[in-house]
Amino acid sequence: MQHGIGRFTVGFVVLVLVGAAGGTPRGNGVSFEPASLRSRDPLLFAGDRTDGLPLTAVLRRSDSAEYVSFVYGDCVPDDDAGCAPPVEIQVWPACRRHLALYDSSSGPDLERLTVRGVPGAVLDSGTRLELQTGRSTIVVFAESRQRLSRIAAELRPLDSRTASGVPLPQPAPGAVEGRLPC
């Protein structure tokens, strides 16, 4: 991935922006303004490749959900119901999705933990990890807990050269409790 000041070129990526302005296609990739995707914090993703899978799409949902999704790999649907990609990383505003949404009534499937210095939870039988960082909630979907861990170690800001694996920014005051305004 080439880095420039204020612009990125994502190689070999199909960029799909729902409700956001994108940049101009360039070669095999798409150039876009990271600011057009950002809400409040830098977007975290796992690079142009993670756990052996290429970044295949970037999506923005800007209705009541309001998140950015980084999709890795692809799938072949068995029927009309479609299929989930092998890995997806969603970046939500913490005012819309936060760890306070889950409590003891979430059942035995909820495990609270700390990942890279920030609070999180593993859900859905180890196929979903939610991390509270800054003013964002990072949601990672994968088929196994082991893959979730490897991908969480690779998370880094889209718009910087910060190395993966370093501690993530602490949640903003009130983020974990769901008290941040939108």
Side-chain angles (χ1 to χ4, degrees), residues 1 6 11 22 24 33 51 63-64 70 84 86 94 99 114-115 122 132 134 140 148 157-158 163 175 178:
M1 182 177 296
T24 307
E33 296 288 339
D51 206 38
D63 56 9
S64 61
F70 297 90
L99 295 176
T114 300
V115 175
V122 174
Q132 202 78 59
V140 182
L148 288 174
L158 177 70

Side-chain angles (χ1 to χ4, degrees), residues 1 13 28 32 41 65 78 82 87 119 127 150 153 158 161:
M1 182 177 296
V13 174
N28 289 336
F32 64 95
D41 280 347
D78 291 338
V87 172
T127 61
R150 290 190 300 266
L158 177 70
R161 294 178 187 258

Side-chain angles (χ1 to χ4, degrees), residues 69-158:
S69 177
F70 297 90
V71 178
Y72 292 86
D74 55 20
C75 63
V76 178
D78 291 338
D79 55 29
D80 291 337
C83 59
V87 172
E88 181 177 3
I89 300 170
Q90 296 178 352
V91 183
W92 290 70
C95 62
R96 301 235 187 263
R97 187 170 188 156
H98 46 81
L99 295 176
L101 295 171
Y102 310 109
D103 58 21
S104 58
S105 66
S106 297
D109 203 24
L110 170 75
E111 178 189 344
R112 299 263 184 189
L113 69 165
T114 300
V115 175
R116 293 180 56 192
V118 300
V122 174
L123 299 108
D124 297 337
S125 302
T127 61
R128 181 177 60 166
L129 171 66
E130 299 205 15
L131 300 174
Q132 202 78 59
T133 178
R135 297 181 62 87
S136 298
T137 303
I138 310 304
V139 184
V140 182
F141 297 93
E143 80 278 357
S144 72
R145 187 181 181 115
Q146 293 77 21
R147 182 169 255 183
L148 288 174
S149 293
R150 290 190 300 266
I151 293 163
E154 293 297 318
L155 293 174
R156 59 186 170 270
L158 177 70

